[in-house]
Amino acid sequence: MTESIENNLLKHSSSFFSNKNKHLKYLVKEEKRFKNFTLSAKNIFYDFSRQIIDDKTFELLIELAKEKKILSKFNDMVNGEIVNKTENRPALHTLCRNTGKHNIFSKEIKRVKEEIFEFSQKIHNNKILSSTGKNFTDLCILGIGGSSLGANFVIQALSGKKKLMNPYFIESCDINEFANFLSSANLETTLFVVVSKSFKTTEVLLNEKFVKNLLDEKNLDYKKQIVRITCKNSPGDKPDEALKIFHIFDWIGGRYSVSSAAGGLPISLVYGFDVFEEFLKGMNEFDNHVLESDYKQNIPLTAALIDIWNFVYLKFSNLAIIAYSKLLYKLPAHIQQLYMESNGKTINENNEITNKTSMVIFGDTGTKSQHSFFQLLHQGQVVPVEFIGILDTDYQNLNYTNNELWVNLLAQADSLATGKESEILFKKCNGNRPSSIITMENTQPENIGKLLSFYESRTVLAGFLFGINPFDQFGVEAGKSLASEKRKIINDILYKNTNTKNISDSDDFYSKIIKNKKILYS
């Protein structure tokens, strides 16, 4: 009987703990190591030579991907097959950047893009004015999770470019976020974009209500200063309630929606539609890299296979994303949601319990993070790291500062791999801590598009490898459902003085201290 690839990988993984010669300090010195464990495509360079793998590991992982027909599944997704089986729908976010076969949804994507172009042009050319007849200067996006994290990252990543409007994001119902916005924006010349697929997300609806009341208090017509991005026929799809409605579709998941209207409208308003088009071009190019490359040359697939290797076989439960560019400082938060909401599940596609699920993702920018949590990375639990470096900046006369970022990035990667010997035990660093390096030439829109396509594709491919559905999020829905029940209990106590005999001690306690705004000791 032929032994399964999974069993072979399991046996092979144990050799890295029992054989001291498979420590990274020896592996990185092997002949042709760098050449054999680096990939390049579309001006993205992926270096995984400091991962705890060898030739046999890579061969077994490729065999696993082939056995599971991972690239065929990705191709099915791009071409509109029902890959989101729990919700019986396709996952066609890639169609937004013209990847894959044109189908019945293509006309809708084209229509929305044309509407974004026309609307953003009119805003920039002062053909659409605020309720007092003034030019719009500020843009405030009301969204949460997938409705804002991707757009927020892209707008920040492109902030070296000239802004046509000043962007603000309100991503929770915390009034402090509004206070921050109101302290610097001009309410009279602010355009509000409300983003919610279902238009049932409580935080977003609460924020829209707050904005309406705010505008009413200032005698400003909210219908002339609010636009909505939502699904067709959702409760918010009411043209008489907003300046304009832009549609997003149920076959585009929120966390994959940055190339749809959810990202396209904010990006176009802040930087211009041409910048959004460049961004989409980059996404399309890297989507096609996934579709056209074979198993061994496929960068997102390789990254997904390394995820599986590190998490399932080497038992590393975290991944740190460290970008050595301030422009990318919002990337970890977006990828955290993208990957963990997609793959953080313990039920596989066969409706069976599995322990093959997402690692925990966190991150920050370098070199700042070196002076905070890198202590743990060097001497605490083993956390694989993904470094991101940028070769060129918009400040040519200050490139020496970027050179220093690269010095630190490479030093950290090598130090994690090789460690540091010392006779004094508490000064010793054991090394053998894996990392990869992603290199980009610059942060122009096209390259930011390629980077996001890499992460979206890698997330989907990892989901397929885990054997789970990376497109649903029933855990999130469960939390929302319980919040509705909890809201009724607490509001009844706060505003109706309802009898508390039938509620839990916890709900009774917290309702009372919320009402009194003071901790009440029993």
Side-chain angles (χ1 to χ4, degrees), residues 184-230:
S184 53
N186 183 348
L187 198 63
E188 188 181 355
T189 57
T190 296
L191 179 67
F192 293 89
V193 177
V194 184
V195 191
S196 175
K197 274 180 67 178
S198 65
F199 222 77
K200 294 178 182 177
T201 306
T202 304
E203 298 95 327
V204 178
L205 299 185
L206 194 64
N207 285 340
E208 189 191 56
K209 182 180 179 181
F210 179 81
V211 167
K212 285 180 179 179
N213 292 337
L214 203 60
L215 293 172
D216 282 343
E217 287 173 9
K218 303 290 184 182
N219 295 316
L220 301 171
D221 185 353
Y222 75 83
K223 292 181 183 179
K224 292 185 177 180
Q225 292 193 214
I226 288 179
V227 302
R228 290 174 176 171
I229 301 173
T230 190

Side-chain angles (χ1 to χ4, degrees), residues 48-97:
F48 55 106
S49 63
R50 295 174 188 81
Q51 291 290 340
I52 304 175
I53 62 172
D54 57 17
D55 291 333
K56 184 177 179 180
T57 314
F58 195 46
E59 288 170 10
L60 285 170
L61 289 170
I62 294 297
E63 281 182 42
L64 180 69
K66 287 180 177 178
E67 181 181 73
K68 292 178 177 288
K69 300 180 180 177
I70 297 302
L71 292 182
S72 295
K73 289 181 179 180
F74 190 86
N75 193 71
D76 288 344
M77 179 199 76
V78 165
N79 290 319
E81 297 294 325
I82 304 294
V83 290
N84 181 355
K85 294 180 180 178
T86 56
E87 296 176 307
N88 194 34
R89 61 176 65 140
L92 275 170
H93 50 280
T94 50
L95 191 62
C96 294
R97 53 260 200 172

Side-chain angles (χ1 to χ4, degrees), residues 376-391:
L376 180 144
L377 301 186
H378 284 285
Q379 288 187 308
Q381 68 189 78
V382 178
V383 178
V385 180
E386 193 155 83
F387 295 101
I388 304 174
I390 310 298
L391 294 176

Side-chain angles (χ1 to χ4, degrees), residues 217-454:
E217 287 173 9
K218 303 290 184 182
N219 295 316
L220 301 171
D221 185 353
Y222 75 83
K223 292 181 183 179
K224 292 185 177 180
Q225 292 193 214
I226 288 179
V227 302
R228 290 174 176 171
I229 301 173
T230 190
C231 275
K232 270 189 173 182
N233 303 317
S234 80
D237 188 17
K238 296 176 180 177
D240 60 329
E241 294 184 358
L243 176 61
K244 175 73 178 171
I245 305 288
F246 295 88
H247 287 133
I248 190 172
F249 307 97
D250 62 6
W251 31 268
I252 299 173
R255 56 191 175 274
Y256 297 98
S257 67
V258 68
S259 56
S260 74
L265 182 64
I267 294 167
S268 297
L269 288 169
V270 175
Y271 295 113
F273 186 78
D274 57 331
V275 170
F276 178 51
E277 287 274 73
E278 290 175 43
F279 169 72
L280 292 182
K281 181 184 176 187
M283 294 198 88
N284 170 264
E285 283 189 22
F286 218 77
D287 289 346
N288 285 324
H289 161 69
V290 184
L291 293 169
E292 295 166 3
S293 299
D294 66 25
Y295 280 82
K296 287 190 175 182
Q297 299 300 316
N298 200 304
I299 295 177
L301 176 61
T302 299
L305 288 168
I306 288 170
D307 290 343
I308 303 301
W309 173 248
N310 281 337
F311 184 79
V312 177
Y313 296 98
L314 299 185
K315 306 300 181 184
F316 302 144
S317 56
N318 302 288
L319 173 67
I321 297 176
I322 312 296
Y324 278 69
S325 169
K326 180 67 173 178
L327 295 177
L328 304 184
Y329 86 96
K330 289 188 178 291
L331 178 67
H334 175 49
I335 304 310
Q336 187 177 63
Q337 191 226 2
L338 173 67
Y339 202 102
M340 292 169 66
E341 191 171 273
S342 294
N343 296 331
K345 298 152 191 175
T346 54
I347 305 297
N348 67 19
E349 58 192 351
N350 297 319
N351 208 30
E352 299 166 337
I353 295 174
T354 176
N355 62 352
K356 297 176 182 178
T357 181
S358 171
M359 69 281 281
V360 175
I361 291 177
F362 66 97
D364 204 340
T365 55
T367 59
K368 181 179 74 170
S369 55
Q370 294 172 200
H371 298 272
S372 56
F373 55 81
F374 265 53
Q375 166 60 39
L376 180 144
L377 301 186
H378 284 285
Q379 288 187 308
Q381 68 189 78
V382 178
V383 178
V385 180
E386 193 155 83
F387 295 101
I388 304 174
I390 310 298
L391 294 176
D392 197 10
T393 72
D394 293 325
Y395 306 97
Q396 296 298 326
N397 59 327
L398 295 175
N399 258 345
Y400 65 88
T401 62
N402 195 52
N403 296 344
E404 182 61 22
L405 291 177
W406 271 102
V407 166
N408 278 271
L409 186 161
L410 293 170
Q412 292 296 323
D414 283 348
S415 180
L416 288 167
T418 60
K420 182 181 179 181
E421 293 296 332
S422 175
E423 292 181 3
I424 303 171
L425 197 59
F426 58 76
K427 289 187 176 183
K428 183 178 181 180
C429 295
N430 291 323
N432 209 31
R433 290 154 189 264
S435 68
S436 298
I437 300 174
I438 297 170
T439 303
M440 298 166 56
E441 289 187 352
N442 54 50
T443 55
Q444 290 301 308
E446 206 171 309
N447 284 329
I448 296 300
K450 291 172 186 176
L451 183 65
L452 273 193
S453 170
F454 162 78

Side-chain angles (χ1 to χ4, degrees), residues 57-171:
T57 314
F58 195 46
E59 288 170 10
L60 285 170
L61 289 170
I62 294 297
E63 281 182 42
L64 180 69
K66 287 180 177 178
E67 181 181 73
K68 292 178 177 288
K69 300 180 180 177
I70 297 302
L71 292 182
S72 295
K73 289 181 179 180
F74 190 86
N75 193 71
D76 288 344
M77 179 199 76
V78 165
N79 290 319
E81 297 294 325
I82 304 294
V83 290
N84 181 355
K85 294 180 180 178
T86 56
E87 296 176 307
N88 194 34
R89 61 176 65 140
L92 275 170
H93 50 280
T94 50
L95 191 62
C96 294
R97 53 260 200 172
N98 205 31
T99 303
K101 295 177 183 176
H102 286 256
N103 54 43
I104 57 173
F105 304 118
S106 299
K107 286 185 179 179
E108 288 285 72
I109 293 292
K110 185 173 184 290
R111 171 182 66 81
V112 173
K113 277 187 190 174
E114 288 172 350
E115 290 175 355
I116 292 171
F117 170 74
E118 182 181 349
F119 184 82
S120 59
Q121 286 285 97
K122 286 181 177 179
I123 292 289
H124 297 148
N125 294 329
N126 305 322
K127 301 294 184 184
I128 296 177
L129 302 173
S130 73
S131 57
T132 58
K134 294 186 177 180
N135 302 340
F136 284 109
T137 58
D138 300 317
L139 179 71
C140 183
I141 296 96
L142 311 179
I144 196 166
S147 297
S148 64
L149 286 169
N152 200 347
F153 159 66
V154 175
I155 285 173
Q156 170 60 32
L158 300 177
S159 59
K161 302 187 77 64
K162 180 184 176 182
K163 290 185 179 71
L164 305 175
M165 298 181 79
N166 302 312
Y168 302 88
F169 283 83
I170 308 293
E171 296 179 301

